[in-house]
Amino acid sequence: MVPRVNITISIKEPDLDPPSDPGGSVPTTPTRPEVMEWVLPSTNDPWTSPGQLSVAVLLVFLLSTTIICSNALLLIAVYRFKRLRNPSNYFVASLASADLGIGLLLPPGLYFEFTRSHVRCILLCLFPYCLFILLCSVALLSITAVAVDRCTSLASPLRYNNIITHGSVVRYIALFWIYSFLLSSFPMLYWFSAKGSTTTQNCSFTSVILWPSRLFLFSVLFVPCTLLVIGSYGYVYIVARSHARAIFSAELSFRQHPLSGPKYGRTLAGTVGLFCLLWMPFQAVAFTDSLHERTIFYLGLLAIASAATDPWMYGYRSAEFRLASLRILETIFPQLSGALHKPQVRHASMASCVSHARLGTTPNHMTHTVDTMCATFIEIPMLTRSIEETAVAEL
């Protein structure tokens, strides 16, 4: 529905001679002006082009489908396989839960984006924004918790099992959700304290999430999480580099052929770089009100895209998660069992063999050569590696 802007122009012939009324008894009837109307598009609605609508719908459809499928599969794997229900994976499950909520909220959020120009109630206008702030806050806190957990496993390997327990992790996750709920309610509370109005003329993000609210969220949420993520993975890189050199020299003397170079540097750089690349651009909204509404929408989609990459960065990089996901897909789609499981003799590793043992599966599709390789890996390197070296190898 396009708002109508009526412009009325009176067109009248100019009176060259003054009206004459010699008798003074007959009143002069005024001439009715001709009226012309134009309907102008409203400048408050940024979605006026069919091409822009199509691009936004396509992006949201692809993003929402990817987020829902990948995170739902990760949560099903944690629920189904008891071996995956350890304290470290609880943080990954919390992250997947928040990301799944974002994926489910994307289609209604897109409809709200297209129709928000007609919303005048401030509660209806702020509620979708507060929901996104809630879920994104939980996702950021869970990403930070994963980074701190990996840092703790290397900094205090002997005390790690006493620090990170099932009970403590559940309490941390509950605090994440409570803290995120308080943060998401702050923009609404600040609106009523500063404006005191229940209506709004413009339901855009920068109009209802006021500048002090955006700066507050940036200061108490994004900045601490970013510093903790960078600091934790920086410490992991320093410790892992020194341990990897010792492991590399020991295995180089143990094996007949040289090993490939360590990948932990590229892995950590990719994790931190992807986090900053997806989340940093949207933080510019906290400092300016001059951005176009479509620009804010696409910057928000870029930040939400992290919900599609998180399962692959923090979940499916683990061999156990990959194997569990393959088994779930085989259960759902039996016709894909042959395509998903292919014999890989050359690429067999200790991690894949341990994953089979932990999940209680028998690798029937493997050949005798692979079984021999698995036995070799389990008997010798696992007895010679310490806890710290095993944590470094999983990176």
Side-chain angles (χ1 to χ4, degrees):
M1 178 179 179
V2 179
R4 298 178 64 89
V5 179
N6 297 330
I7 301 178
T8 304
I9 300 177
S10 299
I11 301 178
K12 184 178 180 181
E13 292 292 335
D15 294 332
L16 300 179
D17 297 326
S20 59
D21 189 7
S25 59
V26 181
T28 305
T29 304
T31 307
R32 186 174 183 269
E34 299 180 11
V35 178
M36 298 168 53
E37 282 190 354
W38 285 272
V39 179
L40 301 181
S42 175
T43 57
N44 295 329
D45 190 4
W47 305 101
T48 56
S49 171
Q52 297 169 0
L53 294 174
S54 301
V55 171
V57 170
L58 179 61
L59 288 177
V60 169
F61 173 76
L62 295 176
L63 197 58
S64 177
T65 304
T66 305
I67 291 173
I68 293 174
C69 294
S70 57
N71 287 282
L73 186 61
L74 195 66
L75 289 174
I76 293 174
V78 174
Y79 173 78
R80 180 173 178 180
F81 297 101
K82 185 177 180 180
R83 178 63 190 178
L84 295 178
R85 295 197 292 271
N86 56 62
S88 297
N89 289 339
Y90 283 170
F91 290 127
V92 179
S94 173
L95 176 60
S97 301
D99 291 340
L100 180 62
I102 293 175
L104 294 174
L105 193 60
L106 266 181
L110 181 65
Y111 176 78
F112 169 76
E113 175 67 21
F114 290 159
T115 60
R116 61 179 171 78
S117 58
H118 307 292
V119 178
R120 294 294 178 261
C121 179
I122 190 62
L123 293 177
L124 296 178
C125 184
L126 278 171
F127 184 70
Y129 293 128
C130 292
L131 278 181
F132 275 108
I133 293 174
L134 169 65
L135 296 175
C136 291
S137 299
V138 175
L140 279 174
L141 293 173
S142 299
I143 291 174
T144 307
V146 172
V148 174
D149 173 72
R150 295 179 178 179
C151 178
T152 307
S153 65
L154 289 180
S156 302
L158 299 179
R159 299 177 56 242
Y160 174 77
N161 291 331
N162 296 328
I163 298 174
I164 307 297
T165 61
H166 286 79
S168 63
V169 169
V170 171
R171 289 193 295 269
Y172 292 149
I173 294 175
L175 289 177
F176 292 165
W177 285 90
I178 295 174
Y179 183 67
S180 300
F181 176 77
L182 296 177
L183 291 180
S184 63
S185 61
F186 181 81
M188 187 175 296
L189 297 177
Y190 184 80
W191 171 273
F192 286 108
S193 63
K195 299 289 186 178
S197 174
T198 58
T199 59
T200 180
Q201 297 299 322
N202 189 0
C203 192
S204 63
F205 181 82
T206 55
S207 298
V208 295
I209 307 296
L210 302 178
W211 180 80
S213 299
R214 301 196 301 268
L215 188 60
F216 174 78
L217 294 174
F218 176 80
S219 302
V220 303
L221 178 65
F222 182 76
V223 172
C225 290
T226 304
L227 293 179
L228 284 175
V229 168
I230 295 176
S232 298
Y233 284 126
Y235 179 81
V236 169
Y237 175 79
I238 295 173
V239 175
R241 183 177 61 178
S242 60
H243 290 176
R245 288 177 179 176
I247 295 173
F248 182 78
S249 60
E251 292 192 352
L252 186 63
S253 61
F254 175 75
R255 300 190 180 190
Q256 299 296 327
H257 55 84
L259 296 175
S260 59
K263 298 181 180 180
Y264 60 89
R266 294 191 296 272
T267 301
L268 296 178
T271 302
V272 177
L274 187 63
F275 173 81
C276 295
L277 178 64
L278 295 178
W279 284 100
M280 280 288 190
F282 184 74
Q283 305 310 314
V285 181
F287 301 97
T288 180
D289 291 332
S290 59
L291 293 176
H292 194 272
E293 295 180 10
R294 282 200 307 272
T295 304
I296 298 175
F297 172 78
Y298 287 118
L299 290 178
L301 280 186
L302 182 64
I304 289 175
S306 64
T309 60
D310 289 342
W312 306 95
M313 295 299 298
Y314 303 102
Y316 298 124
R317 296 185 64 88
S318 171
E320 292 184 346
F321 271 110
R322 291 197 301 269
L323 182 61
S325 302
L326 290 178
R327 292 191 59 190
I328 294 173
L329 291 177
E330 286 181 350
T331 304
I332 300 175
F333 306 104
Q335 62 274 16
L336 298 179
S337 58
L340 294 178
H341 276 298
K342 294 182 179 179
Q344 297 181 354
V345 177
R346 184 173 299 178
H347 300 285
S349 62
M350 181 185 67
S352 62
C353 299
V354 174
S355 300
H356 284 291
R358 288 177 177 177
L359 293 176
T361 60
T362 303
N364 296 325
H365 63 281
M366 294 186 178
T367 60
H368 177 71
T369 305
V370 178
D371 294 336
T372 305
M373 292 173 62
C374 291
T376 304
F377 276 106
I378 293 175
E379 290 176 2
I380 300 177
M382 287 191 65
L383 294 177
T384 57
R385 291 189 176 187
S386 63
I387 299 176
E388 296 181 359
E389 295 170 349
T390 305
V392 173
E394 291 182 355
L395 292 177

